[in-house]
Amino acid sequence: MINIKTSLGAIFCFVLQLNLFALNNNSSDKILPQKNSEGKLFYFGNALKNNGIIINTTLAYNTETGYGFDMNSASNATINSNTFSAVKPTYFSVKLPEGNYQIEVVMGSSEKQTNVTIKAESRKLMLDQLSIKKGKPVTQIFNVNVRTPKIDDTQNVSLKDREKDIFNWDDKLTLEFLGEVAIQSIKITPKDNLTVVYLAGDSTVTDQDVEPWASWGQFITNYFDNTVVVANYAVSGSALSSFKGGNRLKKILSLIKKGDYLFVEFGHNDEKIKGEGNGAWGSYSTLLAEFVQSAKDKGAIPVLVTPTQRRAFNENGTLKETHGDFPAAMRAVAQKNNIALIDVTKMTTELYETWGDEPSRKAFVQYPANTFPGQVKVLEDNTHFNSFGANEIALCVLKGIRELDIPLKKQIQKEVPNYNPKKPNYISNWTLPLSDRFEITKPDGN
């Protein structure tokens, strides 16, 4: 006797397989069963694979597919037998929900040596100029935080107009590939067990979305091991009060968990808030204590970071103190509340004085006219860093972490050397490829 249900089921499965076969053979991107239904796996090239999404054309990103080459960079990529290659900045985006993700990138060419730099979201440095030998593929793993402004059904982070179109606050993960690139595959896996380092701060901390501006928060990502992810909520122009008022602290506290960290660096803009009850020993100290206690209440570890110095020299080559009592007030809050503190004010004083007046310019956004597209005037900023300067500040913060009694110091990559601000690096040895997105208008704040 024929089992009608079984026969109908078999026919249905057969028809479904035929439809899938037709779809895959008529589509430029073949979607094969994924072993990890929660993650995403992309293969580049024409070679047959057992699972994942095969991308065999330079597909431009769109919201319907939810993946593809982004920022009009599809024409920069070339699809080969088992890689995509590029020599100009190339962006690949994947639509993802808010969360922390581990990214596994397999790189290398069978035809030539390559050199790969990877930035994520708003220019967070993830891989710095890795040289890969011909025929010797390399796998690199790093973690990226993806977020949206939503806190709950009734509350959102208040974004500034300049933030609304940047990578950090959209609904996708964007990877930027620079150098002489050959990428074989990208695997993206949600990770809930990472140590999250939350950053609260101003323009000297935030992920600056465009060149030539940069901050230490987007360079420190390159130095932690793959058990850590950095979630940078800092925003240009912010003081403690506006950071809290814009619901950024509330957003962090809705996510932070036991064992995570909250790094807090403010001062540049808090100095401008005048009136009774304000100042270093007033609202600034009160709000610092509130920020760190809020983190402690969640079981997280707060770390206070004194503000980076402005580049302002006395005639005798020493640095002027432009932050008044604010660094001292932060030190006092840390001592009173038994909170870890990294004295970046002290380290950047040593750093700039070691460089000297003229060489220190090379760490800041100071460039002659026409250095960048659309830049008709000289750029001369003594507060905001370029990529070289931002990396030096990140190394100062790492030095501070290593000197603290916190577990995070063991999660710095072992190969990262110790840093001494009295023996700094110089821009003559700095070769990080520039992104191809520029803005001449300086960030908010000073």
Side-chain angles (χ1 to χ4, degrees), residues 3 10 20 22 62 177 208 235 258 322-323 326 328 354 367 400 405:
N3 187 321
L20 287 173
N62 66 74
F177 298 93
Q208 297 290 356
V235 58
K258 183 177 181 180
T322 63
H323 289 305
F326 283 82
T354 300
Y367 297 96
D405 186 22

Side-chain angles (χ1 to χ4, degrees), residues 10-39:
I11 292 170
F12 175 78
C13 290
F14 178 70
V15 172
L16 179 61
Q17 288 174 357
L18 284 176
N19 287 337
L20 287 173
F21 178 81
L23 177 65
N24 284 337
N25 281 276
N26 290 326
S27 171
S28 60
D29 305 294
K30 298 182 179 180
I31 304 176
L32 302 171
Q34 299 225 23
K35 291 179 181 178
N36 181 357
S37 60
E38 294 182 347

Side-chain angles (χ1 to χ4, degrees), residues 233-284:
Y233 283 82
V235 58
S236 296
S238 65
L240 283 160
S241 56
S242 60
F243 189 93
K244 178 185 175 183
N247 286 336
R248 291 173 193 263
L249 179 61
K250 185 172 289 186
K251 173 76 172 182
I252 291 172
L253 294 176
S254 74
L255 298 169
I256 201 167
K257 64 184 186 300
K258 183 177 181 180
D260 288 342
Y261 293 83
L262 176 60
F263 279 59
V264 181
E265 182 194 316
F266 288 94
H268 284 82
N269 304 300
D270 304 78
E271 300 162 15
K272 305 168 191 174
I273 303 174
K274 307 300 181 182
E276 186 177 354
N278 292 311
W281 305 107
S283 62
Y284 179 75

